[in-house]
Amino acid sequence: MAERKAIPMETRLRLFSGASGHCQKPDCLEPLFPIEMGGDKHIAEMAHVIPHGQAGPRHEDRPDGNFDPDAFENLILLCPTCHTKIDKDPDSFPRNILLDWKENHLANLAAKQGIRTYDDRAEVRAAVAGIMAENKAIWSKFAPEHGSDFEYDPESEAAKGWSQRMRSVILPNHYRAQAIIKANLGLATEGERRTFAEYQEHVRGLSERHVCGVSGRAIRFPEAMEGLFS
Ligand SMILES: [Zn+2]
Ligand SMILES: [Zn+2]
């Protein structure tokens, strides 16, 4: 549905990173950067749980007191199909159901992706290694200036190709690797936890740049990630 005003960038970032690139309806969980679309664009829609108006879907679920419909807490990231469903049939999708989807999204996604906790470090490493290898292969082949500071012409073909791969393959891979590592942080050393924190910051910067179009300063991929769980 039409938005009254632009959702603040900070809110969009929180939504996109919280959704890890997938629709937040638990029986959908479709990728929001479909590979079939060449990674050109995302299909994500920021859906209001409680609408702006007095007549929109779920308006009678509006909590008392001050309420900002555009706040992070009132938005959920969905594919267009699911957005239509929840707005056409609000009785089946009341506020508490939608908030519950959002609350459990990462766990739902992890279950779908077969992410689990392992008994030993070698298994975690094996689960992450293939994902990281794919990212590295794409990076070394396509990254302009090999990931230095990306001060390239964003309209160039090379830059466009890189951005497409970033959104359709690299970022989803990163989200997935993060989920695996997070689920197994109990097996990590103190130093590895610090490396992981840096890695998350790196990915956050990439999302900021490639998903939200903010030319922020992404920190570099921490080299120590190569040795994680080894
Ligand atoms: Zn809306
Ligand atoms: Zn969906």
Side-chain angles (χ1 to χ4, degrees):
M1 64 194 299
E3 309 300 350
R4 299 303 167 95
K5 62 180 161 70
I7 306 290
M9 182 61 64
E10 196 56 40
T11 304
R12 287 166 54 189
L13 267 174
R14 281 181 73 193
L15 273 172
F16 271 90
S17 65
S20 271
H22 293 79
C23 175
Q24 295 189 295
K25 189 169 185 283
D27 59 359
C28 174
L29 300 174
E30 282 301 305
L32 294 172
F33 295 82
I35 291 182
E36 314 83 85
M37 284 166 55
D40 252 320
K41 43 189 165 205
H42 68 75
I43 57 166
E45 296 190 0
M46 291 178 283
H48 288 90
V49 175
I50 303 296
H52 279 273
Q54 288 309 314
R58 289 169 299 275
H59 67 91
E60 58 291 306
D61 291 344
R62 180 186 295 262
D64 294 329
N66 258 349
F67 184 74
D68 174 9
D70 288 333
F72 170 79
E73 289 72 19
N74 189 48
L75 295 164
I76 179 168
L77 210 58
L78 298 172
C79 72
T81 308
C82 292
H83 192 177
T84 303
K85 276 184 197 161
I86 66 148
D87 281 356
K88 284 222 157 131
D89 185 12
D91 288 344
S92 301
F93 303 110
R95 180 171 188 249
N96 64 317
I97 297 263
L98 302 187
L99 295 183
D100 194 59
W101 291 353
K102 194 171 163 190
E103 171 78 24
N104 296 307
H105 177 66
L106 291 181
N108 294 337
L109 190 58
K112 186 196 179 188
Q113 294 181 329
I115 287 164
R116 57 186 194 85
T117 54
Y118 294 99
D119 295 326
D120 67 78
R121 293 166 51 86
E123 289 175 300
V124 190
R125 182 169 175 76
V128 175
I131 299 172
M132 294 312 229
E134 183 180 32
N135 274 5
K136 194 172 183 184
I138 295 172
W139 178 78
S140 47
K141 197 161 178 212
F142 296 105
E145 298 182 23
H146 281 244
S148 57
D149 59 1
F150 297 96
E151 301 269 25
Y152 58 89
D153 169 13
E155 293 306 313
S156 74
E157 284 311 305
K160 281 181 191 160
W162 172 238
S163 247
Q164 286 177 358
R165 281 174 183 87
M166 176 61 72
R167 286 178 290 202
S168 63
V169 187
I170 294 183
L171 274 172
N173 275 351
H174 277 318
Y175 294 142
R176 187 150 182 234
Q178 282 187 349
I180 296 171
I181 295 167
K182 225 179 230 168
N184 290 280
L185 262 189
L187 294 172
T189 64
E190 221 16 72
E192 285 172 339
R193 283 165 187 266
R194 270 196 302 278
T195 300
F196 181 56
E198 266 176 61
Y199 170 58
Q200 287 182 292
E201 183 55 28
H202 167 74
V203 175
R204 202 194 61 81
L206 292 182
S207 306
E208 200 168 64
R209 177 188 303 269
H210 293 279
V211 176
C212 296
V214 182
S215 52
R217 351 85 282 175
I219 69 164
R220 285 204 181 218
F221 180 80
E223 271 173 44
M225 279 298 290
E226 308 260 2
L228 210 72
F229 293 109
S230 64

